[in-house]
Amino acid sequence: MYMVRDVKHPTKKKGNHVWFPISPNLAEIIRRQPRLAPDNPEESVFPFRAKTVSKRYTDSKKALGISNLHFHDNRAESITRWLKILPSSKVRFISGHRTTHQIDTVYDRSRPDALHEDFGAIDMNRIQAPTT
């Protein structure tokens, strides 16, 4: 489990610390980062200011000729992809949402006709009727 301090919140500005699980691959990337202050538990994994990251993102888009793409679009795409393989009750832990309401209303882009594909993927032989 990893913690992000002061996660963005609509009304609270400080103290919005969120613990969340990460994949083994991401844990390995974090483990390999150099520690500038190994004894400091408050040390950031990636010690960059938000404004610096924002500027580099904007500069990179400009250099690549990408327009009409916002940083939040990447998050939305990631959450949408997670929803294809996990229920919103689990995706909320990855995305940092406290409830599934926003995930279900904003990020879930599933279509009713897509259920036919899901039905085709279900191995009916593995589903057992309850025994009485």
Side-chain angles (χ1 to χ4, degrees):
M1 296 289 287
Y2 285 79
M3 180 182 62
V4 174
R5 290 184 288 276
D6 295 323
V7 172
K8 186 176 177 182
H9 187 276
T11 58
K12 297 180 189 175
K13 299 303 174 201
K14 293 283 182 183
N16 304 313
H17 309 321
V18 176
W19 287 92
F20 63 98
I22 61 173
S23 71
N25 291 342
L26 183 53
E28 181 60 21
I29 290 169
I30 290 171
R31 189 188 66 71
R32 289 181 179 200
Q33 298 308 302
R35 299 288 307 263
L36 303 176
D39 297 329
N40 180 1
E42 299 293 312
E43 180 183 23
S44 294
V45 174
F46 303 104
F48 304 108
R49 294 187 186 120
K51 287 184 178 183
T52 303
V53 173
S54 181
K55 173 131 178 52
R56 288 196 178 170
Y57 182 80
T58 301
D59 292 347
S60 296
K61 286 190 322 179
K62 185 182 268 186
L64 294 169
I66 298 171
S67 61
N68 201 23
L69 179 68
H70 305 283
F71 193 77
H72 191 268
D73 296 336
N74 298 309
R75 182 172 190 248
E77 179 64 22
S78 176
I79 292 170
T80 301
R81 288 182 184 203
W82 277 114
L83 285 169
K84 291 180 180 179
I85 57 174
L86 292 173
S88 59
S89 60
K90 291 187 178 183
V91 172
R92 76 180 184 90
F93 295 115
I94 297 168
S95 68
H97 288 92
R98 296 195 193 315
T99 69
T100 60
H101 177 74
Q102 188 166 13
I103 293 172
D104 293 336
T105 58
V106 175
Y107 299 104
D108 187 355
R109 298 176 185 156
S110 57
R111 305 172 333 271
D113 60 315
L115 281 174
H116 291 287
E117 297 167 19
D118 295 340
F119 291 150
I122 296 173
D123 181 359
M124 297 306 283
N125 295 323
R126 293 186 63 200
I127 299 174
Q128 297 179 2
T131 57
T132 54

